[in-house]
Amino acid sequence: EDKVVQSPLSLVVHEGDTVTLNCSYEVTNFRSLLWYKQEKKAPTFLFMLTSSGIEKKSGRLSSILDKKELSSILNITATQTGDSAIYLCAVDADSNYQLIWGAGTKLIIKP
Amino acid sequence: EAEVAQSPRYKITEKSQAVAFWCDPISGHATLYWYRQILGQGPELLVQFQDESVVDDSQLPKDRFSAERLKGVDSTLKIQPAELGDSAMYLCASSLASRNTEAFFGQGTRLTVV
C-alpha cells in the first residue's frame, strides 16, 4: 500500500532557529513530491520535486529530494513567527491516480 | 491573482439535512479536486474531475455524497443526509493537468453537523 509519512508530527522552536522537516514515502513508480504550507485555511504550494529537479530553494525555505532514501526534507532557516503552520507533503506516483498525502508536521515558532 | 473560489466559508447544519458546497476553479484548469480534511490529518481525496468527467471517486461515500461538474468549470459537492461524522473542512483544488503539476486550493468550507 502506498504511503507517505511525515516527521515529526509537531515541532516547537524559537524565532531564529533552523528547522528540518522530513517526508518519507513508499510508492510504486514515483513521479513527484510536493510540499505545501497550511495556515488557517487552504494549503498553499511551496515546491515540487521530481527526478529532474531534486533541489529547490525560495528565500529561507529549501527542499531536497533523496530518491535513494525515498525521502525529502524541507529546511527553514532563520525562522519567523509567520512560519508557524502545518507543512504537508504529497507524492504523485504511477501506482495511484491521486496524490498521496502525509498527515503533516505542525510547526510552532515562538517569539 | 487567480484563485479557487469556494462557498460558503462556514456551514452549520443539523444531521439528516442536506448541504451543498460550491467551487469555481482557476480559469483554464481542467482538473478539479474535492478533498475532506479532518483536523490533524492530511487532505483525503473525495472526487477528482478531468473536465466534466469523474476520474476518481473511489473514496466518495456514494450513499450520501454526490459531486458534479456539468460544464467542466464549476462544481458542487452535496451531502444528503448529513451525519455528525461529516464535520470537517471541505477543500476544493484545481490544477492545469492531473499529473506532475501543483494544485491550487480554495479557502475551504468548514462544515459542522450538529
Side-chain angles (χ1 to χ4, degrees), chain A residues 31-32 34 36 38 40-45 48 50 86 88 92-99 101-104, chain B residues 9-10 35 37 40-43 45 48 55-56 58-59 89 91 98-107 110:
Chain A
R31 294 175 69 101
S32 62
L34 299 94
Y36 283 82
Q38 185 173 26
K40 292 186 178 175
K41 292 288 183 178
T44 54
F45 172 76
M48 183 168 72
T50 65
I86 296 173
L88 293 163
D92 184 10
D94 279 346
S95 55
N96 211 318
Y97 202 82
Q98 58 178 276
L99 287 174
W101 291 83
Chain B
R9 295 286 296 274
Y10 303 91
Y35 286 93
Q37 187 177 25
Q41 298 181 17
L45 181 71
Q48 179 177 338
V55 296
D56 188 345
S58 56
Q59 297 188 74
M89 174 73 85
L91 294 164
S98 59
R99 310 308 296 262
N100 281 356
T101 182
E102 67 267 31
F104 296 86
F105 284 81
Q107 291 300 301
R110 169 71 68 188

Side-chain angles (χ1 to χ4, degrees), chain B residues 9 36 38 40-41 44 52-53 56 68-69 74 82 87 91 102:
Chain B
R9 295 286 296 274
R36 177 171 57 188
I38 295 169
Q41 298 181 17
E44 171 197 10
E52 67 277 8
S53 301
D56 188 345
E68 60 183 18
R69 194 185 183 197
D74 58 337
S87 295
L91 294 164
E102 67 267 31

Side-chain angles (χ1 to χ4, degrees), chain A residues 1-93:
Chain A
E1 183 184 338
D2 296 334
K3 63 179 180 180
V4 174
V5 177
Q6 292 186 245
S7 62
L9 288 180
S10 64
L11 185 59
V12 181
V13 300
H14 286 97
E15 212 168 13
D17 288 349
T18 293
V19 297
T20 299
L21 312 182
N22 295 278
C23 174
S24 63
Y25 57 90
E26 289 180 28
V27 300
T28 304
N29 296 331
F30 170 91
R31 294 175 69 101
S32 62
L33 184 146
L34 299 94
W35 283 99
Y36 283 82
K37 176 183 181 182
Q38 185 173 26
E39 296 176 83
K40 292 186 178 175
K41 292 288 183 178
T44 54
F45 172 76
L46 294 175
F47 300 119
M48 183 168 72
L49 303 163
T50 65
S51 299
S52 58
I54 63 171
E55 189 166 352
K56 294 285 176 72
K57 182 175 171 65
S58 176
R60 296 179 294 103
L61 276 67
S62 62
S63 183
I64 298 173
L65 176 68
D66 188 336
K67 286 202 70 180
K68 188 175 179 183
E69 295 296 324
L70 306 183
S71 65
S72 173
I73 59 170
L74 177 67
N75 270 331
I76 308 175
T77 60
T79 52
Q80 302 170 358
T81 54
D83 295 327
S84 295
I86 296 173
Y87 290 83
L88 293 163
C89 169
V91 172
D92 184 10

Side-chain angles (χ1 to χ4, degrees), chain B:
Chain B
E1 184 177 314
E3 59 181 34
V4 177
Q6 283 189 252
S7 67
R9 295 286 296 274
Y10 303 91
K11 181 71 179 178
I12 300 174
T13 191
E14 294 182 342
K15 61 180 180 180
S16 80
Q17 295 298 303
V19 63
F21 313 130
W22 177 79
C23 172
D24 191 11
I26 293 173
S27 178
H29 281 196
T31 307
L32 184 147
Y33 315 80
W34 281 104
Y35 286 93
R36 177 171 57 188
Q37 187 177 25
I38 295 169
L39 194 64
Q41 298 181 17
E44 171 197 10
L45 181 71
L46 293 174
V47 61
Q48 179 177 338
F49 289 93
Q50 185 67 25
D51 299 310
E52 67 277 8
S53 301
V54 173
V55 296
D56 188 345
D57 63 355
S58 56
Q59 297 188 74
L60 187 72
K62 297 181 187 64
D63 57 334
R64 298 184 302 107
F65 285 65
S66 64
E68 60 183 18
R69 194 185 183 197
L70 293 175
K71 296 182 180 178
V73 181
D74 58 337
S75 175
T76 55
L77 177 69
K78 296 179 181 177
I79 308 174
Q80 182 174 18
E83 295 181 352
L84 296 176
D86 296 331
S87 295
M89 174 73 85
Y90 289 83
L91 294 164
C92 178
S94 70
S95 60
L96 275 172
S98 59
R99 310 308 296 262
N100 281 356
T101 182
E102 67 267 31
F104 296 86
F105 284 81
Q107 291 300 301
T109 297
R110 169 71 68 188
L111 173 67
T112 302
V113 182
V114 297

